[in-house]
Amino acid sequence: MSDPAEPSSVYDQIGPDGIARLVAAFYRQVPTDDLLGPLYPPQDLAGAEERLRDFLLFRCGGASRYLETRGHPRLRMRHAPFVIGIEQRNRWVELIDRALDEVALPPEADRVLRRFLQNTATFLINSLDDTN
Ligand code: HEM
């Protein structure tokens, strides 16, 4: 049975184009972001954009290229090299929220994706040290 709150139900509503537009709108903000910008590889931002796009495509019920090229997501492990405290999590959510506002997906897809992305960002917090 498909759960309407699961991102796997949004693919039919927004397709690969909606996901590509969302991820592009997110990454347009990354290079100039004082907190997140320095974390991302400046010489491979296009690659980073592709990895997030492929992951979301797969997670939303689209093509499984992410699994074929990167393997199992293991997101917490893959984010372990980066210090993700409350501040970094909140900034990431701020940027993705702005991207969602910009691309204006159908309301149901917007709601489900926004919640999934916020929850996943919270799940990726790996530092509770507020001095970072
Ligand atoms: C909480 C704040 C977050 C920070 C600071 C953060 C930071 C990063 C950084 C610096 C990278 C490396 C860029 C690259 O691929 O070269 C990365 C990769 C990635 N992030 Fe995040 N991220 C965050 C949240 C998220 C969320 C919420 C998701 C999923 C919904 C996500 C999914 C990914 C994926 C799929 C990759 C590529 C992993 C791989 O295949 O190597 N991230 N992230």
Side-chain angles (χ1 to χ4, degrees), residues 5 14 16 20 32 38 53 62 73 75-76 79 88 93 105 110 118 121 125:
I14 65 173
T32 53
R53 187 172 62 229
L75 285 188
R76 272 189 63 88
H79 286 78
Q88 287 78 6
V93 167
L105 300 172
D110 179 287
Q118 288 175 0
I125 290 173

Side-chain angles (χ1 to χ4, degrees), residues 1-14 19 55-62 108-117 119-120:
M1 211 178 75
S2 85
D3 174 355
E6 253 293 297
S8 55
S9 61
V10 306
Y11 185 77
D12 289 348
Q13 299 172 56
I14 65 173
I19 291 168
F55 168 76
L56 287 178
L57 268 174
F58 145 68
R59 199 58 187 75
C60 291
E108 178 60 15
D110 179 287
R111 195 182 62 77
V112 171
L113 267 180
R114 218 176 271 262
R115 200 169 56 189
F116 167 72
L117 293 164
N119 288 344
T120 306

Side-chain angles (χ1 to χ4, degrees), residues 39-41 51 55 66 70 78-79 82 92 117 121 124:
L39 299 180
Y40 287 83
R51 288 184 277 279
F55 168 76
Y66 184 84
R70 308 293 295 167
R78 290 192 206 264
H79 286 78
F82 316 111
W92 197 98
L117 293 164
L124 292 177

